[in-house]
Amino acid sequence: MNAGAVNNPTVDVPRTALDLARIRADFPILHRQVRGRQLVYLDNAATTQKPQVVIDALTRYYTDLNANVHRGVHFLSEAATNAYEGARATVRAFFNAAHDREIIFTRNTTEGINLVAQSFARPRLQPGDDVLISAMEHHSNIVPWQMVCAEKGARLQVAPIDDRGDLVLDAFERLLSERTRLVSITHMSNAPGTVNPVGEIVRLAHARGIPVLVDGSQAAYHMPVDVRALGADFYVATGHKLYGPTGIGVLYGRAALLEEMPPFLGGGDMIASVTFERSTWNELPYKFEAGTPNIEGAIGLGTALDYITSIGFDKIVPHEQALLAYGTSMLESMPGVRLIGTARQKASVLSFVMEDVHPHDIGTIVDREGVAIRTGHHCAQPVMERFGVPATARASLAVYNTREELDALGAALRKVSEVFA
Ligand SMILES: Cc1ncc(COP(=O)(O)O)c(C=O)c1O
């Protein structure tokens, strides 16, 4: 480890059963040097690194299978279609959805939320109606609602969070009214790292007949997600955080709701018939997949989900929780460091500020030590405002991270303190 192991005597967290050496060997980029140092990658909440099997799946697609899907009777088109639809079945099983037709491939979470805003909310919203989100949302779960609310004369209501970063559930419940048409809430926040009680949130909303979209961008690679057990009406996730490629995402929607919704984008593949007078729509899920999809992205995502499943959340969760406890304790013991986000239920995110040091300077100095963290507002400016900081530094964890890497972060942060002493 480049920065040297730093003892962290304040915590004694048991090491977990994960075969970390084997897992790290699966990720080629983890072995590269940056700035003359061994890379320590702690920016996983922005995007995760990719295992060799995913990289190979993308290469194999273009080497052996490349053809357009759903269009040809020739061998390659059939093979590409089977691989693409096979990936959909993998996604369905990963999230425990009931039917493949409830799984729509999108570009990312952002597109999934915009799809629901435009095709589900827009036709239903009337002036004076509400859409309810929380104060810990990523911009992609704020702006699409602002846009549709502005157009329809509806109100965007925001449930507050407390000083730890926990949702204030009483206040959330009070904001549910007969005017609320939809709740859209994150399963896990990317800034304070809070894990929301989404099962309870869905229960409270459904008791009043209000549908719920859950933003699973962060949660889906840290914990098992069962959309049916959660009862979510919509669940969105993004491939590049799930150890899969960029440019591919997933929208799960309950079939009954998706059936009622008009298409989001028009074009090829999403139609049953077209004349100049009118067109009719294809069946689910194709109604929402206009144009040539990201075929290799879907296949790569399917491979990534198989990879996660092969490790198992029963091993991933305790490993990441142990790392989180270790990192929390390390940061809490450092003079001048303040954690932003100490929610009761948290996962894999360590957002923090340092006295008299701008987060950007923290990021720059630790980068010189080969340690990659994120600094800034993390696409969550209202969260920064809530905590009264312009920005934070954020170290975020994934399955391949180690205690030694957190020690390297600790050593790099000590250098930051020295520079600004
Ligand atoms: C909680 C949350 N929601 C939504 C997004 C948006 O994901 P994407 O940019 O892949 O659409 C992110 C990405 O960081 C996120 O952390």
Side-chain angles (χ1 to χ4, degrees):
M1 197 51 52
N2 51 304
V6 174
N7 286 332
N8 180 11
T10 53
V11 67
D12 184 22
V13 183
R15 293 197 180 253
T16 49
L18 207 68
D19 186 349
L20 256 182
R22 190 184 62 72
I23 287 168
R24 290 183 67 79
D26 292 336
F27 290 81
I29 208 168
L30 297 182
H31 307 291
R32 68 159 294 180
Q33 304 255 313
V34 295
R35 308 204 188 282
R37 308 262 186 170
Q38 172 60 47
L39 170 67
V40 173
Y41 188 77
L42 296 172
D43 192 19
N44 295 288
T47 198
T48 55
Q49 299 301 344
K50 317 306 170 198
Q52 189 65 49
V53 280
V54 169
I55 300 166
D56 288 347
L58 300 179
T59 308
R60 199 172 326 112
Y61 171 72
Y62 283 114
T63 312
D64 285 346
L65 285 184
N66 179 45
N68 213 328
V69 290
H70 305 142
R71 286 164 201 207
V73 291
H74 64 78
F75 180 89
L76 282 184
S77 179
E78 232 173 73
T81 302
N82 288 341
Y84 180 72
E85 291 305 327
R88 195 189 309 278
T90 302
V91 173
R92 198 244 327 120
F94 188 82
F95 290 106
N96 197 31
H99 311 287
D100 286 6
R101 67 181 196 283
E102 297 181 314
I103 302 297
I104 292 154
F105 284 123
T106 59
R107 276 191 303 142
N108 45 36
T109 292
T110 303
E111 187 175 272
I113 296 173
N114 277 276
L115 191 162
V116 176
Q118 292 302 316
S119 291
F120 181 79
R122 189 164 176 255
R124 286 171 172 75
L125 284 176
Q126 302 286 334
D129 283 348
D130 289 346
V131 172
L132 177 57
I133 61 171
S134 84
M136 71 176 88
E137 302 306 321
H138 186 278
H139 295 165
S140 68
N141 199 24
I142 301 172
V143 182
W145 306 114
Q146 278 175 336
M147 289 163 67
V148 73
C149 285
E151 185 192 329
K152 304 297 285 196
R155 268 190 318 184
L156 187 59
Q157 294 276 34
V158 183
I161 56 177
D162 65 17
D163 292 343
R164 303 174 67 125
D166 274 315
L167 181 70
V168 184
L169 207 56
D170 292 353
F172 169 83
E173 192 174 359
R174 278 195 299 277
L175 285 166
L176 295 170
S177 78
E178 70 286 351
R179 302 313 310 254
T180 312
R181 294 287 160 262
L182 185 79
V183 168
S184 189
I185 193 144
T186 195
H187 195 166
M188 174 186 160
S189 157
N190 66 316
T194 310
V195 177
N196 274 321
V198 276
E200 176 68 358
I201 286 168
V202 169
R203 198 186 59 73
L204 292 171
H206 281 185
R208 295 157 176 87
I210 302 164
V212 180
L213 180 152
V214 179
D215 173 359
S217 303
Q218 292 296 337
Y221 64 110
H222 294 305
M223 62 197 79
V225 174
D226 180 330
V227 289
R228 279 188 283 173
L230 289 178
D233 299 280
F234 301 102
Y235 196 95
V236 286
T238 203
H240 66 94
K241 297 192 209 282
L242 283 155
Y243 309 101
T246 50
I248 187 75
V250 174
L251 164 66
Y252 156 80
R254 280 203 296 115
L257 298 180
L258 293 174
E259 294 285 6
E260 288 172 10
M261 290 159 55
F264 175 46
L265 300 173
D269 231 26
M270 51 72 71
I271 48 82
S273 69
V274 177
T275 66
F276 286 118
E277 287 69 42
R278 71 183 283 268
S279 302
T280 58
W281 313 139
N282 205 341
E283 60 193 17
L284 291 177
Y286 313 110
K287 178 171 80 171
F288 292 108
E289 292 183 2
T292 299
N294 182 352
I295 305 165
E296 81 278 18
I299 293 168
L301 175 59
T303 306
L305 299 186
D306 282 339
Y307 178 78
I308 295 173
T309 304
S310 74
I311 300 171
F313 279 114
D314 56 330
K315 295 209 175 68
I316 294 171
V317 173
H319 169 65
E320 291 190 12
Q321 283 293 322
L323 279 183
L324 182 68
Y326 187 78
T328 302
S329 170
M330 179 186 85
L331 291 174
E332 280 174 347
S333 70
M334 296 184 83
V337 171
R338 179 162 66 98
L339 276 167
I340 302 293
T342 51
R344 274 169 277 269
Q345 293 289 322
K346 265 191 81 171
S348 300
V349 168
L350 294 156
S351 282
F352 60 96
V353 290
M354 284 176 94
E355 221 168 79
D356 300 328
V357 189
H358 193 277
H360 188 74
D361 293 325
I362 303 174
T364 306
I365 294 171
V366 304
D367 175 58
R368 282 194 222 134
E369 305 299 315
V371 179
I373 60 171
R374 176 84 177 261
T375 60
H377 55 60
H378 317 294
C379 294
Q381 284 182 2
V383 177
M384 301 298 115
E385 204 169 303
R386 170 65 182 77
F387 284 98
V389 292
T392 73
R394 180 186 71 188
S396 52
L397 308 166
V399 63
Y400 39 66
N401 287 125
T402 64
R403 287 183 187 202
E404 289 73 17
E405 289 181 307
L406 286 170
D407 290 337
L409 171 67
L413 292 176
R414 282 179 179 81
K415 294 214 164 145
V416 175
S417 298
E418 279 161 30
V419 170
F420 284 87

